[in-house]
Amino acid sequence: MKKVKLSFAALAVLALVSCGDKKEAEPFGKATEEPVATETTTETVSEPVTESNPLADQGKEIFEGKGTCVSCHQPSTKVIGPSLKDISATYKAKDASIVTFLKGEADPLVDPTQFEVMKANFAITKQMTDEELQSLEAYIKSF
Ligand code: HEC
């Protein structure tokens, strides 16, 4: 009988020890989980990748190149013409088409008092293909 009691005691001790081991092991487990949580946060931050827009990139090239638009339009300041931010905001708010405007087929919405100055550029934009005009629109609306 004594032997039996002893082995029970031994089991009890073993059980206690193993419980203690598990509790000590937990913090390590948590520590390894933390970096995973940080990685998830980084993924959410990497959104700008979705903003890469080949059509808008092509539009930027035309805008600054053969379109010569950049000489009168800057991204966020009014120079001779309204800023691209202002044009973009107006066209988005009215759900209007910049392509139609550049074809000379729509009335000005942003600054009609200065329309004559802009109108001179239709000589250039009317020579452009639909794709080129759409790329200009995509570029302007990216602001
Ligand atoms: C000589 C200066 C000048 C150049 C070059 C110029 N613009 Fe403009 N643009 C203006 C002025 C001034 C206005 C304001 C008048 C107006 O709103 O129509 C304007 C207005 C605009 C508008 C808003 C039209 C609206 O609904 O009122 C768009 C879109 C635009 N320009 C696009 C372009 C593009 C694209 C080019 C290049 C192909 C270009 N502009 C080149 C002077 C210029």
Side-chain angles (χ1 to χ4, degrees):
M1 286 300 270
K2 263 188 186 175
K3 272 181 190 169
V4 177
K5 270 185 191 167
L6 264 176
S7 56
F8 269 129
L11 274 176
V13 170
L14 268 177
L16 278 173
V17 170
S18 56
C19 268
D21 278 351
K22 270 179 200 162
K23 272 178 196 162
E24 269 174 38
E26 261 176 38
F28 289 110
K30 275 180 189 162
T32 42
E33 274 166 28
E34 269 167 35
V36 180
T38 324
E39 273 170 32
T40 322
T41 329
T42 327
E43 270 172 37
T44 335
V45 177
S46 63
E47 258 177 36
V49 177
T50 47
E51 278 182 31
S52 143
N53 180 343
L55 193 63
D57 288 348
Q58 189 195 333
K60 184 179 197 285
E61 244 170 61
I62 298 172
F63 196 89
E64 294 173 355
K66 70 171 180 177
T68 69
C69 323
V70 75
S71 55
C72 292
H73 295 285
Q74 295 290 315
S76 48
T77 26
K78 182 185 154 77
V79 225
I80 295 165
S83 72
L84 297 182
K85 271 186 186 159
D86 284 349
I87 296 174
S88 176
T90 303
Y91 273 80
K92 280 177 187 166
K94 303 200 173 174
D95 198 20
S97 164
I98 292 176
V99 172
T100 310
F101 173 78
L102 293 175
K103 281 180 176 176
E105 294 166 4
D107 292 333
L109 303 172
V110 181
D111 189 359
T113 61
Q114 297 295 307
F115 180 50
E116 288 304 315
V117 183
M118 179 58 208
K119 217 175 161 182
N121 296 288
F122 291 165
I124 300 172
T125 55
K126 278 181 175 173
Q127 302 299 315
M128 291 182 184
T129 64
D130 277 2
E131 199 205 339
E132 287 173 318
L133 294 175
Q134 278 158 14
S135 73
L136 281 173
E137 173 164 48
Y139 173 61
I140 294 172
K141 284 191 170 173
S142 73
F143 287 89

